[in-house]
Amino acid sequence: MKKSAYLIIFILPLLFSCIDKSVPDFSECTASGSLEKSILETEVLGTWEWQFTVCCPESREGMKKDSNMYSGTKITFYDDGTGKKEDKSGITDFSWTLKTVDFNYYGFDTDPRIFLVSGRLFICDGQMFANDSYRDGADKYFRKIKRTEIKPK
């Protein structure tokens, strides 16, 4: 057998070992045009609660779901380009915009940097997905708990 055939036989199982059917599927939303910047800027407004983080380590166990590290973390995005992150360590205020992060995909540019929302941004049916696994990062999942557009005074 040629070296390339051995390589394919070795690599394919590794790629498919990282597929987890319990992770929400965002493919329908991404195919339906929900990747437009103006739609994302509107849909992101409100308060999102962290659900879990998924990474795909190089191991035979495949995906690892983190179900408690960021438990209780909430991130709110306001229409004036500001936001707040509430977690176990306190409240962090930040500013945000959407920028192109990977070809035609958008992601957050926050100051200070908010790790939990880094990566390509997908929003569908009250769920937000910060996809960073395409560049060996972690994927972070949120659910919307409150629609807020205007920052309280």
Side-chain angles (χ1 to χ4, degrees), residues 10 20 34 40 42 50-51 53 55 58 60 64 71 81-82 100 108 111 122 127-128 131 133 143-144 148:
F10 177 73
D20 183 347
S34 65
L40 291 171
T42 301
W50 175 85
Q51 297 298 296
T53 298
C55 5
E58 293 180 11
R60 295 191 151 261
K64 177 185 176 191
S71 181
T82 64
T100 304
F108 288 104
D111 184 26
F122 300 98
Q127 295 184 59
M128 180 170 67
N131 168 238
S133 61
R143 71 178 172 87
K144 188 174 257 186
T148 308

Side-chain angles (χ1 to χ4, degrees), residues 33-148:
S34 65
L35 299 177
E36 293 178 32
K37 186 176 182 182
S38 60
I39 293 172
L40 291 171
E41 286 173 330
T42 301
E43 290 297 315
V44 75
L45 300 178
T47 302
W48 298 86
E49 184 173 37
W50 175 85
Q51 297 298 296
F52 56 89
T53 298
V54 176
C55 5
C56 189
E58 293 180 11
S59 71
R60 295 191 151 261
E61 290 83 40
M63 288 185 149
K64 177 185 176 191
K65 277 191 185 177
D66 182 353
S67 59
N68 59 15
M69 185 173 181
Y70 299 104
S71 181
T73 298
K74 295 178 180 96
I75 300 178
T76 302
F77 298 92
Y78 298 109
D79 67 347
D80 67 353
T82 64
K84 71 177 177 177
K85 180 181 91 162
E86 302 172 74
D87 60 19
K88 295 171 187 165
S89 64
I91 296 175
T92 302
D93 292 317
F94 62 91
S95 62
W96 69 273
T97 59
L98 292 183
K99 66 176 183 175
T100 304
V101 294
D102 182 41
F103 297 103
N104 295 324
Y105 295 100
Y106 291 97
F108 288 104
D109 183 13
T110 61
D111 184 26
R113 183 176 183 269
I114 306 292
F115 160 76
L116 283 176
V117 295
S118 63
R120 299 182 293 194
L121 173 64
F122 300 98
I123 297 175
C124 185
D125 296 329
Q127 295 184 59
M128 180 170 67
F129 172 42
N131 168 238
D132 223 3
S133 61
Y134 74 99
R135 59 181 179 196
D136 289 336
D139 294 334
K140 290 80 60 182
Y141 293 83
F142 294 82
R143 71 178 172 87
K144 188 174 257 186
I145 59 171
K146 184 178 179 186
R147 178 130 185 104
T148 308

Side-chain angles (χ1 to χ4, degrees), residues 18-30:
C18 292
I19 296 172
D20 183 347
K21 300 294 183 197
S22 67
V23 174
D25 180 11
F26 282 76
S27 60
E28 280 189 39
C29 293
T30 59

